[in-house]
């Protein structure tokens, strides 16, 4: 019998639980309230702007946090009201990423990105892309899945 629960492994569920505990404690500007999650309408609009469905884990995350200016470069989401936090707006700067199956999910504050890999052998992993050296090459894998990456990002602050 495998160690799986309905949505993934116990390890994934632990990481998800940690993310839920860490998110409210993330440092944010005093005038910036936690934006909450994206509505189904906002998710549908993002999918329309991306030209396809969101991966399950990413959609689940966006229902919790629709994108906000936390951590070094922000976590991206369904935020057409704030281009610097919108997945589709960032993807527009790097059209090749669409072909590669990459969705930008966060920034490092220096112009580099963390991308969710939505196709190929690395499906479901999160990678770091150094846009200064080569914006179309993965520098390194930073999370075996989105929840593990988010936990690591939130723990670093």
């Amino acid at each position: 019998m495998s160690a799986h629960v309905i949505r993934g492994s116990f390890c994934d569920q632990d990481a998800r639980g940690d993310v839920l505990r860490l998110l409210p404690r993330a440092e944010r500007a005093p005038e910036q309230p936690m934006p909450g999650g994206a509505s189904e309408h906002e998710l549908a609009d993002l999918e329309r702007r991306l030209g396809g469905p969101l991966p399950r884990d990413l959609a689940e995350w966006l229902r919790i946090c629709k994108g906000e200016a936390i951590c070094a470069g922000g976590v991206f989401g369904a935020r057409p009201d704030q281009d610097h936090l919108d997945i589709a707006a960032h993807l527009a700067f790097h059209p090749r990423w669409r072909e590669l199956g990459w969705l930008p999910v966060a920034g490092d504050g220096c112009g580099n990105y963390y991308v969710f890999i939505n196709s190929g052998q690395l499906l479901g992993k999160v990678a770091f892309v150094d846009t200064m050296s080569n914006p179309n090459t993965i520098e390194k894998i930073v999370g075996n899945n989105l929840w593990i990456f988010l936990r690591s990002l939130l723990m670093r602050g």
Side-chain angles (χ1 to χ4, degrees):
M1 178 177 227
S2 67
H4 282 70
V5 293
I6 294 173
R7 290 193 173 257
S9 72
F10 287 118
C11 181
D12 295 348
Q13 291 300 310
D14 288 347
R16 184 184 183 282
D18 290 342
V19 167
L20 295 176
R21 282 187 293 280
L22 291 165
L23 182 60
R25 293 185 254 169
E27 189 174 325
R28 48 183 62 79
E31 70 279 358
Q32 178 188 327
M34 200 166 125
S39 68
E40 293 306 312
H41 173 75
E42 290 168 318
L43 292 177
D45 177 63
L46 178 59
E47 288 179 332
R48 179 190 58 74
R49 292 183 295 119
L50 291 174
L54 290 166
R56 186 194 70 205
D57 282 349
L58 183 55
E60 184 178 344
W61 161 244
L62 294 177
R63 286 183 182 99
I64 296 165
C65 178
K66 68 180 177 179
E68 69 173 306
I70 56 173
C71 303
V75 292
F76 310 147
R79 295 302 299 265
D81 60 322
Q82 295 188 34
D83 281 352
H84 67 287
L85 296 174
D86 188 61
I87 289 173
H90 283 281
L91 191 58
F93 291 123
H94 302 280
R96 175 105 168 86
W97 292 2
R98 205 178 285 275
E99 297 168 31
L100 294 169
W102 298 356
L103 294 170
V105 293
D108 74 346
C110 297
N112 301 307
Y113 290 87
Y114 298 100
V115 296
F116 179 88
I117 302 171
N118 197 29
S119 66
Q121 288 183 316
L122 299 175
L123 177 68
K125 296 188 183 313
V126 178
F128 178 75
V129 176
D130 182 337
T131 59
M132 301 308 142
S133 73
N134 187 339
N136 299 316
T137 301
I138 292 171
E139 184 83 13
K140 63 183 172 183
I141 298 299
V142 293
N144 283 331
N145 65 47
L146 183 64
W147 296 107
I148 290 171
F149 162 72
L150 289 167
R151 176 176 60 193
S152 173
L153 187 72
L154 290 167
M155 289 175 83
R156 285 187 305 229

